[in-house]
Amino acid sequence: MFINEQSLISLNGMPQYVSIRAQKKDAPLLLYLHGGPGDAALPLVMKFNRGLEENFTVVVWEQRGSGKSYYRFEDGAVTLETFLQDLLSLTAILLERFRQNCLYLVGHSWGSVLGLTFTARHPELVKTYIGCGQVVNMKKSCRTAYEYALAHADSKSLERLQATDCTYTGDNWLSDLLFVTKQVVKHKGSLYGKTNYNKLITPFLFSGCYSLPDLLRRQKGSLQAIRHLWPELMETDFEGVTRFGTPVIFIEGRYDSHVSSELSREYFETIETKKQFFWFEKSCHFPQWSENDRFNRLLAEVLL
């Protein structure tokens, strides 16, 4: 291993946990943006995407308040813009340290909101943007997730769903959101072929980089990030953004009903600049982990 570093880096005054791993010198930088919000993913990337380290300097950032970067948010203290400024700061640090002019940026789910927004703002810093589980229009995506849950519901769940507001603007919006998400997972619309997330939990237990307190902080960080950021996330809509100053690639699970991959495909068709789209036929919301070997090979093939 040429480089294997895990450390806290101060980004806009807040220490945040960053992993940097590579198997060879001078490999191009690839920065992974996890989902959620607040859904730290370092052990998952280390387990399922270790193959990327053969060709890239892989950077995994546990965003502020998430996982090993956990701290307690104050009301109104964090917004989407806060994370975009953190991302800009981290990118500048990485490019200066590794003497590179730009980097590859991978965004998953919530991370795809950060990633595509950042790419539109700073195309000179992004060699290629790769989105998976790409968010396009959050309101539409929440509607399709709700309809999926409704279509697969048993009588007990159906009654609860019929009383649910999938705009997530009512007093019980968090409870409604968590229930709908649970139903999508239960009916195999999120993790391909699975009715739960056990496959994505066990790597945290055996990674060696997560302690029991880290696991507890990850749970707290995820819930607080949803509480603080979801209302703003619901306003996400890229449908009017069709030109980028750098190539974009979408990698989508064919059966993603968690964040609609059909919406992603429809949006992709409207993009007027250099682009590529790849369907992963045995994936839902997590193609990078459900078909990880193909994902790792594909990035090497299309980026290098």
Side-chain angles (χ1 to χ4, degrees):
M1 182 68 70
F2 174 71
I3 183 170
N4 182 10
E5 297 179 5
Q6 289 79 42
S7 62
L8 290 169
I9 297 177
S10 180
L11 304 176
N12 297 313
M14 182 58 61
Q16 298 178 49
Y17 197 84
V18 177
S19 168
I20 307 174
R21 292 167 57 90
Q23 293 187 15
K24 60 184 179 182
K25 186 178 180 181
D26 298 327
L29 284 160
L30 185 149
L31 173 56
Y32 182 88
L33 306 177
H34 66 68
D39 200 15
L42 176 58
L44 295 169
V45 178
M46 291 179 67
K47 175 177 175 61
F48 294 111
N49 305 119
R50 183 159 293 190
L52 293 174
E53 298 166 10
E54 298 173 8
N55 298 291
F56 303 96
T57 298
V58 178
V59 181
V60 182
W61 164 41
E62 303 230 310
Q63 300 158 23
R64 65 167 60 215
S66 304
K68 294 173 78 70
S69 299
Y70 175 77
Y71 69 98
R72 187 173 179 178
F73 290 162
E74 297 178 6
D75 289 344
V78 296
T79 65
L80 177 63
E81 186 61 33
T82 308
F83 290 83
L84 289 167
Q85 291 303 314
D86 288 348
L87 176 54
L88 180 60
S89 179
L90 177 58
T91 298
I93 290 169
L94 292 171
L95 294 180
E96 180 178 11
R97 174 181 169 181
F98 290 96
R99 299 181 181 180
Q100 297 183 25
N101 296 320
C102 53
L103 49 70
Y104 295 112
L105 192 60
V106 178
H108 174 245
S109 199
W110 151 263
S112 77
V113 176
L114 298 179
L116 199 57
T117 303
F118 186 86
T119 298
R121 284 189 189 181
H122 305 287
E124 75 284 357
L125 301 179
V126 181
K127 193 165 187 178
T128 300
Y129 168 72
I130 305 96
C132 52
Q134 179 66 49
V135 174
V136 174
N137 181 308
M138 200 63 196
K139 289 178 181 176
K140 289 183 180 179
S141 193
C142 285
R143 165 58 63 175
T144 60
Y146 173 74
E147 290 173 351
Y148 180 88
L150 208 59
H152 292 81
D154 57 26
S155 57
K156 182 178 179 181
S157 298
L158 183 61
E159 183 178 354
R160 172 71 170 83
L161 287 167
Q162 289 173 335
T164 293
D165 173 17
C166 69
T167 67
Y168 306 125
T169 55
D171 292 340
N172 297 317
W173 72 266
L174 182 57
S175 175
D176 286 345
L177 171 64
L178 295 177
F179 183 77
V180 171
T181 301
K182 182 179 179 180
Q183 294 303 304
V184 172
V185 174
K186 176 182 176 181
H187 296 291
K188 303 181 182 180
S190 184
L191 182 58
Y192 184 80
K194 304 295 183 182
T195 59
N196 56 56
Y197 281 161
N198 289 349
K199 177 183 176 181
L200 303 183
I201 295 172
T202 52
F204 283 87
L205 302 175
F206 301 105
S207 70
C209 64
Y210 256 65
S211 65
L212 181 58
D214 287 333
L215 289 169
L216 297 174
R217 284 189 284 265
R218 179 178 183 267
Q219 291 300 106
K220 291 193 293 184
S222 177
L223 191 58
Q224 79 162 354
I226 292 171
R227 284 197 179 107
H228 282 260
L229 295 162
W230 198 271
E232 185 180 10
L233 178 60
M234 284 294 290
E235 300 303 314
T236 298
D237 181 4
F238 290 111
E239 289 178 342
V241 184
T242 60
R243 300 187 66 84
F244 297 91
T246 197
V248 297
I249 296 171
F250 288 175
I251 298 174
E252 293 293 321
R254 175 72 75 172
Y255 303 102
D256 189 355
S257 293
H258 189 136
V259 173
S260 173
S261 55
E262 290 296 336
L263 285 177
S264 179
R265 178 65 192 187
E266 291 171 10
Y267 170 63
F268 174 83
E269 295 295 341
T270 72
I271 295 175
E272 302 172 81
T273 47
K274 190 172 182 181
K275 61 186 180 178
Q276 290 178 279
F277 189 100
F278 298 93
W279 281 120
F280 275 38
E281 300 291 344
K282 296 183 179 180
S283 295
C284 295
H285 191 51
F286 304 94
Q288 76 277 34
W289 300 328
S290 291
E291 296 179 74
N292 57 304
D293 288 339
R294 183 188 173 199
F295 181 87
N296 299 339
R297 289 195 308 269
L298 179 63
L299 290 199
E301 289 168 4
V302 300
L303 297 180
L304 301 179

mmCIF file of all heavy atoms in Angstrom, residues 119-161:
data_model
loop_
_atom_site.group_PDB
_atom_site.id
_atom_site.type_symbol
_atom_site.label_atom_id
_atom_site.label_comp_id
_atom_site.label_asym_id
_atom_site.label_seq_id
_atom_site.Cartn_x
_atom_site.Cartn_y
_atom_site.Cartn_z
ATOM 1 N N THR A 119 -20.168 20.180 -9.133
ATOM 2 C CA THR A 119 -19.666 20.060 -10.507
ATOM 3 C C THR A 119 -20.169 21.203 -11.371
ATOM 4 O O THR A 119 -19.416 21.753 -12.194
ATOM 5 C CB THR A 119 -20.083 18.703 -11.096
ATOM 6 O OG1 THR A 119 -19.495 17.661 -10.310
ATOM 7 C CG2 THR A 119 -19.628 18.556 -12.540
ATOM 8 N N ALA A 120 -21.425 21.573 -11.204
ATOM 9 C CA ALA A 120 -21.977 22.690 -11.966
ATOM 10 C C ALA A 120 -21.284 24.002 -11.608
ATOM 11 O O ALA A 120 -21.053 24.854 -12.472
ATOM 12 C CB ALA A 120 -23.479 22.798 -11.723
ATOM 13 N N ARG A 121 -20.920 24.161 -10.346
ATOM 14 C CA ARG A 121 -20.271 25.394 -9.884
ATOM 15 C C ARG A 121 -18.789 25.447 -10.232
ATOM 16 O O ARG A 121 -18.251 26.512 -10.536
ATOM 17 C CB ARG A 121 -20.398 25.513 -8.364
ATOM 18 C CG ARG A 121 -21.723 25.918 -7.849
ATOM 19 C CD ARG A 121 -21.581 26.192 -6.355
ATOM 20 N NE ARG A 121 -22.859 26.388 -5.708
ATOM 21 C CZ ARG A 121 -22.988 26.659 -4.414
ATOM 22 N NH1 ARG A 121 -21.909 26.738 -3.644
ATOM 23 N NH2 ARG A 121 -24.190 26.826 -3.891
ATOM 24 N N HIS A 122 -18.115 24.301 -10.099
ATOM 25 C CA HIS A 122 -16.649 24.274 -10.188
ATOM 26 C C HIS A 122 -16.175 23.211 -11.185
ATOM 27 O O HIS A 122 -15.403 22.307 -10.816
ATOM 28 C CB HIS A 122 -16.047 23.992 -8.813
ATOM 29 C CG HIS A 122 -16.467 24.928 -7.737
ATOM 30 N ND1 HIS A 122 -16.005 26.224 -7.661
ATOM 31 C CD2 HIS A 122 -17.323 24.758 -6.691
ATOM 32 C CE1 HIS A 122 -16.546 26.822 -6.601
ATOM 33 N NE2 HIS A 122 -17.349 25.953 -6.005
ATOM 34 N N PRO A 123 -16.585 23.292 -12.436
ATOM 35 C CA PRO A 123 -16.196 22.247 -13.395
ATOM 36 C C PRO A 123 -14.690 22.164 -13.598
ATOM 37 O O PRO A 123 -14.179 21.095 -13.947
ATOM 38 C CB PRO A 123 -16.916 22.678 -14.684
ATOM 39 C CG PRO A 123 -17.147 24.147 -14.524
ATOM 40 C CD PRO A 123 -17.411 24.344 -13.067
ATOM 41 N N GLU A 124 -13.982 23.256 -13.330
ATOM 42 C CA GLU A 124 -12.537 23.246 -13.495
ATOM 43 C C GLU A 124 -11.839 22.361 -12.467
ATOM 44 O O GLU A 124 -10.679 21.959 -12.666
ATOM 45 C CB GLU A 124 -11.986 24.680 -13.419
ATOM 46 C CG GLU A 124 -11.940 25.294 -12.040
ATOM 47 C CD GLU A 124 -13.300 25.762 -11.487
ATOM 48 O OE1 GLU A 124 -14.313 25.657 -12.213
ATOM 49 O OE2 GLU A 124 -13.324 26.252 -10.335
ATOM 50 N N LEU A 125 -12.530 22.036 -11.372
ATOM 51 C CA LEU A 125 -11.947 21.217 -10.316
ATOM 52 C C LEU A 125 -12.322 19.742 -10.436
ATOM 53 O O LEU A 125 -11.777 18.914 -9.714
ATOM 54 C CB LEU A 125 -12.389 21.731 -8.941
ATOM 55 C CG LEU A 125 -12.017 23.178 -8.601
ATOM 56 C CD1 LEU A 125 -12.544 23.537 -7.216
ATOM 57 C CD2 LEU A 125 -10.513 23.395 -8.677
ATOM 58 N N VAL A 126 -13.271 19.436 -11.332
ATOM 59 C CA VAL A 126 -13.799 18.078 -11.457
ATOM 60 C C VAL A 126 -13.447 17.532 -12.837
ATOM 61 O O VAL A 126 -13.924 18.026 -13.853
ATOM 62 C CB VAL A 126 -15.323 18.050 -11.248
ATOM 63 C CG1 VAL A 126 -15.844 16.622 -11.365
ATOM 64 C CG2 VAL A 126 -15.692 18.657 -9.898
ATOM 65 N N LYS A 127 -12.621 16.481 -12.854
ATOM 66 C CA LYS A 127 -12.227 15.887 -14.127
ATOM 67 C C LYS A 127 -13.404 15.179 -14.780
ATOM 68 O O LYS A 127 -13.646 15.301 -15.982
ATOM 69 C CB LYS A 127 -11.068 14.915 -13.914
ATOM 70 C CG LYS A 127 -10.384 14.473 -15.207
ATOM 71 C CD LYS A 127 -9.061 13.819 -14.911
ATOM 72 C CE LYS A 127 -8.312 13.545 -16.217
ATOM 73 N NZ LYS A 127 -6.981 12.940 -15.943
ATOM 74 N N THR A 128 -14.142 14.394 -13.984
ATOM 75 C CA THR A 128 -15.395 13.766 -14.395
ATOM 76 C C THR A 128 -16.238 13.569 -13.142
ATOM 77 O O THR A 128 -15.713 13.208 -12.088
ATOM 78 C CB THR A 128 -15.161 12.389 -15.060
ATOM 79 O OG1 THR A 128 -14.349 12.551 -16.224
ATOM 80 C CG2 THR A 128 -16.485 11.745 -15.469
ATOM 81 N N TYR A 129 -17.538 13.808 -13.266
ATOM 82 C CA TYR A 129 -18.449 13.543 -12.163
ATOM 83 C C TYR A 129 -19.165 12.228 -12.418
ATOM 84 O O TYR A 129 -19.675 11.982 -13.517
ATOM 85 C CB TYR A 129 -19.484 14.659 -12.001
ATOM 86 C CG TYR A 129 -20.597 14.266 -11.065
ATOM 87 C CD1 TYR A 129 -20.361 14.163 -9.696
ATOM 88 C CD2 TYR A 129 -21.862 13.929 -11.543
ATOM 89 C CE1 TYR A 129 -21.358 13.744 -8.827
ATOM 90 C CE2 TYR A 129 -22.875 13.527 -10.682
ATOM 91 C CZ TYR A 129 -22.612 13.426 -9.331
ATOM 92 O OH TYR A 129 -23.603 13.005 -8.477
ATOM 93 N N ILE A 130 -19.228 11.373 -11.385
ATOM 94 C CA ILE A 130 -19.921 10.086 -11.465
ATOM 95 C C ILE A 130 -21.025 10.075 -10.417
ATOM 96 O O ILE A 130 -20.753 10.138 -9.214
ATOM 97 C CB ILE A 130 -18.959 8.902 -11.226
ATOM 98 C CG1 ILE A 130 -17.782 8.957 -12.191
ATOM 99 C CG2 ILE A 130 -19.699 7.568 -11.337
ATOM 100 C CD1 ILE A 130 -16.528 9.608 -11.621
ATOM 101 N N GLY A 131 -22.267 9.999 -10.864
ATOM 102 C CA GLY A 131 -23.403 9.950 -9.951
ATOM 103 C C GLY A 131 -24.020 8.564 -9.922
ATOM 104 O O GLY A 131 -24.235 7.963 -10.977
ATOM 105 N N CYS A 132 -24.309 8.042 -8.754
ATOM 106 C CA CYS A 132 -25.079 6.800 -8.645
ATOM 107 C C CYS A 132 -26.148 6.983 -7.583
ATOM 108 O O CYS A 132 -25.935 7.672 -6.588
ATOM 109 C CB CYS A 132 -24.180 5.592 -8.358
ATOM 110 S SG CYS A 132 -23.059 5.731 -6.967
ATOM 111 N N GLY A 133 -27.319 6.395 -7.842
ATOM 112 C CA GLY A 133 -28.468 6.756 -7.032
ATOM 113 C C GLY A 133 -28.716 8.249 -7.144
ATOM 114 O O GLY A 133 -29.065 8.913 -6.167
ATOM 115 N N GLN A 134 -28.540 8.775 -8.371
ATOM 116 C CA GLN A 134 -28.538 10.215 -8.592
ATOM 117 C C GLN A 134 -29.898 10.846 -8.289
ATOM 118 O O GLN A 134 -30.919 10.448 -8.837
ATOM 119 C CB GLN A 134 -28.160 10.533 -10.043
ATOM 120 C CG GLN A 134 -28.148 12.006 -10.392
ATOM 121 C CD GLN A 134 -27.058 12.777 -9.662
ATOM 122 O OE1 GLN A 134 -25.898 12.365 -9.652
ATOM 123 N NE2 GLN A 134 -27.425 13.888 -9.052
ATOM 124 N N VAL A 135 -29.878 11.839 -7.421
ATOM 125 C CA VAL A 135 -31.073 12.635 -7.144
ATOM 126 C C VAL A 135 -31.239 13.657 -8.262
ATOM 127 O O VAL A 135 -30.293 14.346 -8.629
ATOM 128 C CB VAL A 135 -30.970 13.345 -5.785
ATOM 129 C CG1 VAL A 135 -32.157 14.288 -5.580
ATOM 130 C CG2 VAL A 135 -30.870 12.344 -4.649
ATOM 131 N N VAL A 136 -32.451 13.751 -8.793
ATOM 132 C CA VAL A 136 -32.761 14.734 -9.828
ATOM 133 C C VAL A 136 -33.791 15.730 -9.315
ATOM 134 O O VAL A 136 -33.521 16.930 -9.228
ATOM 135 C CB VAL A 136 -33.273 14.045 -11.120
ATOM 136 C CG1 VAL A 136 -33.732 15.088 -12.139
ATOM 137 C CG2 VAL A 136 -32.187 13.150 -11.701
ATOM 138 N N ASN A 137 -34.972 15.232 -8.999
ATOM 139 C CA ASN A 137 -36.048 16.054 -8.450
ATOM 140 C C ASN A 137 -36.567 15.320 -7.220
ATOM 141 O O ASN A 137 -37.209 14.286 -7.348
ATOM 142 C CB ASN A 137 -37.152 16.249 -9.494
ATOM 143 C CG ASN A 137 -38.293 17.112 -8.992
ATOM 144 O OD1 ASN A 137 -38.848 16.860 -7.935
ATOM 145 N ND2 ASN A 137 -38.655 18.125 -9.768
ATOM 146 N N MET A 138 -36.275 15.849 -6.046
ATOM 147 C CA MET A 138 -36.532 15.096 -4.823
ATOM 148 C C MET A 138 -38.018 14.920 -4.566
ATOM 149 O O MET A 138 -38.448 13.864 -4.075
ATOM 150 C CB MET A 138 -35.855 15.785 -3.635
ATOM 151 C CG MET A 138 -35.640 14.871 -2.445
ATOM 152 S SD MET A 138 -34.525 13.503 -2.847
ATOM 153 C CE MET A 138 -34.849 12.393 -1.487
ATOM 154 N N LYS A 139 -38.799 15.910 -4.881
ATOM 155 C CA LYS A 139 -40.240 15.779 -4.665
ATOM 156 C C LYS A 139 -40.817 14.661 -5.534
ATOM 157 O O LYS A 139 -41.619 13.842 -5.062
ATOM 158 C CB LYS A 139 -40.938 17.102 -4.947
ATOM 159 C CG LYS A 139 -40.664 18.169 -3.897
ATOM 160 C CD LYS A 139 -41.333 19.482 -4.249
ATOM 161 C CE LYS A 139 -41.021 20.535 -3.195
ATOM 162 N NZ LYS A 139 -41.586 21.865 -3.545
ATOM 163 N N LYS A 140 -40.413 14.617 -6.798
ATOM 164 C CA LYS A 140 -40.893 13.560 -7.688
ATOM 165 C C LYS A 140 -40.402 12.195 -7.227
ATOM 166 O O LYS A 140 -41.128 11.206 -7.272
ATOM 167 C CB LYS A 140 -40.435 13.828 -9.114
ATOM 168 C CG LYS A 140 -41.129 14.990 -9.799
ATOM 169 C CD LYS A 140 -40.649 15.134 -11.238
ATOM 170 C CE LYS A 140 -41.339 16.294 -11.954
ATOM 171 N NZ LYS A 140 -40.850 16.449 -13.342
ATOM 172 N N SER A 141 -39.147 12.131 -6.778
ATOM 173 C CA SER A 141 -38.579 10.866 -6.340
ATOM 174 C C SER A 141 -39.294 10.342 -5.100
ATOM 175 O O SER A 141 -39.562 9.142 -4.978
ATOM 176 C CB SER A 141 -37.081 11.031 -6.058
ATOM 177 O OG SER A 141 -36.461 9.781 -5.915
ATOM 178 N N CYS A 142 -39.623 11.235 -4.173
ATOM 179 C CA CYS A 142 -40.363 10.821 -2.979
ATOM 180 C C CYS A 142 -41.746 10.314 -3.349
ATOM 181 O O CYS A 142 -42.254 9.360 -2.734
ATOM 182 C CB CYS A 142 -40.456 11.975 -1.988
ATOM 183 S SG CYS A 142 -38.918 12.298 -1.113
ATOM 184 N N ARG A 143 -42.358 10.907 -4.342
ATOM 185 C CA ARG A 143 -43.654 10.446 -4.801
ATOM 186 C C ARG A 143 -43.559 9.036 -5.383
ATOM 187 O O ARG A 143 -44.384 8.178 -5.097
ATOM 188 C CB ARG A 143 -44.212 11.425 -5.829
ATOM 189 C CG ARG A 143 -45.389 10.921 -6.657
ATOM 190 C CD ARG A 143 -46.589 10.504 -5.850
ATOM 191 N NE ARG A 143 -47.193 11.585 -5.105
ATOM 192 C CZ ARG A 143 -48.327 11.464 -4.395
ATOM 193 N NH1 ARG A 143 -48.950 10.284 -4.333
ATOM 194 N NH2 ARG A 143 -48.810 12.487 -3.716
ATOM 195 N N THR A 144 -42.536 8.768 -6.196
ATOM 196 C CA THR A 144 -42.399 7.436 -6.792
ATOM 197 C C THR A 144 -42.080 6.390 -5.728
ATOM 198 O O THR A 144 -42.552 5.253 -5.808
ATOM 199 C CB THR A 144 -41.328 7.412 -7.893
ATOM 200 O OG1 THR A 144 -40.052 7.780 -7.342
ATOM 201 C CG2 THR A 144 -41.670 8.385 -9.020
ATOM 202 N N ALA A 145 -41.288 6.758 -4.720
ATOM 203 C CA ALA A 145 -40.999 5.831 -3.621
ATOM 204 C C ALA A 145 -42.285 5.505 -2.858
ATOM 205 O O ALA A 145 -42.540 4.344 -2.500
ATOM 206 C CB ALA A 145 -39.954 6.423 -2.682
ATOM 207 N N TYR A 146 -43.079 6.518 -2.617
ATOM 208 C CA TYR A 146 -44.354 6.319 -1.925
ATOM 209 C C TYR A 146 -45.279 5.415 -2.739
ATOM 210 O O TYR A 146 -45.910 4.495 -2.192
ATOM 211 C CB TYR A 146 -45.012 7.671 -1.685
ATOM 212 C CG TYR A 146 -46.422 7.602 -1.135
ATOM 213 C CD1 TYR A 146 -46.643 7.261 0.193
ATOM 214 C CD2 TYR A 146 -47.514 7.854 -1.946
ATOM 215 C CE1 TYR A 146 -47.935 7.192 0.706
ATOM 216 C CE2 TYR A 146 -48.805 7.792 -1.452
ATOM 217 C CZ TYR A 146 -49.010 7.455 -0.120
ATOM 218 O OH TYR A 146 -50.291 7.376 0.362
ATOM 219 N N GLU A 147 -45.346 5.642 -4.036
ATOM 220 C CA GLU A 147 -46.205 4.821 -4.892
ATOM 221 C C GLU A 147 -45.734 3.375 -4.928
ATOM 222 O O GLU A 147 -46.547 2.444 -4.988
ATOM 223 C CB GLU A 147 -46.259 5.428 -6.292
ATOM 224 C CG GLU A 147 -47.038 6.743 -6.327
ATOM 225 C CD GLU A 147 -46.955 7.444 -7.675
ATOM 226 O OE1 GLU A 147 -46.148 7.003 -8.538
ATOM 227 O OE2 GLU A 147 -47.683 8.432 -7.868
ATOM 228 N N TYR A 148 -44.421 3.174 -4.889
ATOM 229 C CA TYR A 148 -43.871 1.814 -4.830
ATOM 230 C C TYR A 148 -44.299 1.132 -3.531
ATOM 231 O O TYR A 148 -44.747 -0.031 -3.531
ATOM 232 C CB TYR A 148 -42.351 1.861 -4.929
ATOM 233 C CG TYR A 148 -41.681 0.504 -4.883
ATOM 234 C CD1 TYR A 148 -41.477 -0.222 -6.044
ATOM 235 C CD2 TYR A 148 -41.251 -0.038 -3.675
ATOM 236 C CE1 TYR A 148 -40.866 -1.473 -6.005
ATOM 237 C CE2 TYR A 148 -40.643 -1.281 -3.627
ATOM 238 C CZ TYR A 148 -40.447 -1.993 -4.795
ATOM 239 O OH TYR A 148 -39.846 -3.236 -4.754
ATOM 240 N N ALA A 149 -44.162 1.842 -2.420
ATOM 241 C CA ALA A 149 -44.568 1.285 -1.131
ATOM 242 C C ALA A 149 -46.062 0.965 -1.132
ATOM 243 O O ALA A 149 -46.491 -0.095 -0.645
ATOM 244 C CB ALA A 149 -44.234 2.269 -0.005
ATOM 245 N N LEU A 150 -46.852 1.849 -1.694
ATOM 246 C CA LEU A 150 -48.293 1.669 -1.752
ATOM 247 C C LEU A 150 -48.658 0.426 -2.562
ATOM 248 O O LEU A 150 -49.525 -0.365 -2.171
ATOM 249 C CB LEU A 150 -48.922 2.911 -2.380
ATOM 250 C CG LEU A 150 -50.353 3.290 -2.001
ATOM 251 C CD1 LEU A 150 -50.482 3.528 -0.499
ATOM 252 C CD2 LEU A 150 -50.753 4.541 -2.776
ATOM 253 N N ALA A 151 -47.965 0.246 -3.688
ATOM 254 C CA ALA A 151 -48.263 -0.873 -4.585
ATOM 255 C C ALA A 151 -47.928 -2.226 -3.967
ATOM 256 O O ALA A 151 -48.492 -3.255 -4.376
ATOM 257 C CB ALA A 151 -47.505 -0.704 -5.896
ATOM 258 N N HIS A 152 -47.013 -2.256 -2.997
ATOM 259 C CA HIS A 152 -46.569 -3.514 -2.405
ATOM 260 C C HIS A 152 -47.083 -3.717 -0.983
ATOM 261 O O HIS A 152 -46.730 -4.701 -0.331
ATOM 262 C CB HIS A 152 -45.035 -3.578 -2.388
ATOM 263 C CG HIS A 152 -44.424 -3.680 -3.746
ATOM 264 N ND1 HIS A 152 -44.240 -2.583 -4.570
ATOM 265 C CD2 HIS A 152 -43.963 -4.749 -4.444
ATOM 266 C CE1 HIS A 152 -43.685 -2.972 -5.699
ATOM 267 N NE2 HIS A 152 -43.506 -4.277 -5.654
ATOM 268 N N ALA A 153 -47.936 -2.832 -0.520
ATOM 269 C CA ALA A 153 -48.328 -2.851 0.892
ATOM 270 C C ALA A 153 -49.319 -3.959 1.221
ATOM 271 O O ALA A 153 -50.201 -4.284 0.419
ATOM 272 C CB ALA A 153 -48.930 -1.501 1.261
ATOM 273 N N ASP A 154 -49.179 -4.524 2.424
ATOM 274 C CA ASP A 154 -50.217 -5.401 2.957
ATOM 275 C C ASP A 154 -51.295 -4.521 3.593
ATOM 276 O O ASP A 154 -51.178 -3.291 3.628
ATOM 277 C CB ASP A 154 -49.640 -6.391 3.961
ATOM 278 C CG ASP A 154 -48.927 -5.719 5.124
ATOM 279 O OD1 ASP A 154 -49.266 -4.563 5.454
ATOM 280 O OD2 ASP A 154 -48.019 -6.345 5.710
ATOM 281 N N SER A 155 -52.344 -5.119 4.086
ATOM 282 C CA SER A 155 -53.490 -4.347 4.579
ATOM 283 C C SER A 155 -53.113 -3.433 5.742
ATOM 284 O O SER A 155 -53.569 -2.284 5.822
ATOM 285 C CB SER A 155 -54.623 -5.284 4.994
ATOM 286 O OG SER A 155 -54.183 -6.204 5.984
ATOM 287 N N LYS A 156 -52.257 -3.922 6.627
ATOM 288 C CA LYS A 156 -51.858 -3.119 7.780
ATOM 289 C C LYS A 156 -51.030 -1.915 7.347
ATOM 290 O O LYS A 156 -51.280 -0.777 7.776
ATOM 291 C CB LYS A 156 -51.068 -3.974 8.769
ATOM 292 C CG LYS A 156 -50.655 -3.228 10.030
ATOM 293 C CD LYS A 156 -49.911 -4.148 10.987
ATOM 294 C CE LYS A 156 -49.477 -3.401 12.235
ATOM 295 N NZ LYS A 156 -48.725 -4.281 13.175
ATOM 296 N N SER A 157 -50.065 -2.159 6.477
ATOM 297 C CA SER A 157 -49.216 -1.066 6.001
ATOM 298 C C SER A 157 -49.997 -0.101 5.122
ATOM 299 O O SER A 157 -49.735 1.105 5.120
ATOM 300 C CB SER A 157 -48.028 -1.631 5.214
ATOM 301 O OG SER A 157 -47.226 -2.446 6.034
ATOM 302 N N LEU A 158 -50.949 -0.627 4.367
ATOM 303 C CA LEU A 158 -51.738 0.205 3.469
ATOM 304 C C LEU A 158 -52.482 1.286 4.241
ATOM 305 O O LEU A 158 -52.515 2.456 3.821
ATOM 306 C CB LEU A 158 -52.726 -0.657 2.688
ATOM 307 C CG LEU A 158 -53.578 0.072 1.641
ATOM 308 C CD1 LEU A 158 -52.704 0.698 0.577
ATOM 309 C CD2 LEU A 158 -54.568 -0.909 1.004
ATOM 310 N N GLU A 159 -53.034 0.915 5.369
ATOM 311 C CA GLU A 159 -53.758 1.895 6.187
ATOM 312 C C GLU A 159 -52.830 3.002 6.659
ATOM 313 O O GLU A 159 -53.184 4.189 6.614
ATOM 314 C CB GLU A 159 -54.400 1.189 7.386
ATOM 315 C CG GLU A 159 -55.241 2.098 8.249
ATOM 316 C CD GLU A 159 -55.903 1.361 9.399
ATOM 317 O OE1 GLU A 159 -55.788 0.114 9.452
ATOM 318 O OE2 GLU A 159 -56.528 2.031 10.240
ATOM 319 N N ARG A 160 -51.638 2.623 7.082
ATOM 320 C CA ARG A 160 -50.648 3.624 7.541
ATOM 321 C C ARG A 160 -50.201 4.510 6.374
ATOM 322 O O ARG A 160 -50.068 5.731 6.524
ATOM 323 C CB ARG A 160 -49.460 2.892 8.153
ATOM 324 C CG ARG A 160 -48.263 3.781 8.502
ATOM 325 C CD ARG A 160 -48.551 4.673 9.699
ATOM 326 N NE ARG A 160 -47.346 5.331 10.156
ATOM 327 C CZ ARG A 160 -46.837 6.446 9.638
ATOM 328 N NH1 ARG A 160 -47.445 7.023 8.619
ATOM 329 N NH2 ARG A 160 -45.737 6.988 10.134
ATOM 330 N N LEU A 161 -49.967 3.915 5.215
ATOM 331 C CA LEU A 161 -49.514 4.679 4.052
ATOM 332 C C LEU A 161 -50.572 5.659 3.560
ATOM 333 O O LEU A 161 -50.253 6.768 3.115
ATOM 334 C CB LEU A 161 -49.110 3.731 2.920
ATOM 335 C CG LEU A 161 -47.797 2.988 3.121
ATOM 336 C CD1 LEU A 161 -47.658 1.850 2.113
ATOM 337 C CD2 LEU A 161 -46.613 3.950 2.999
#
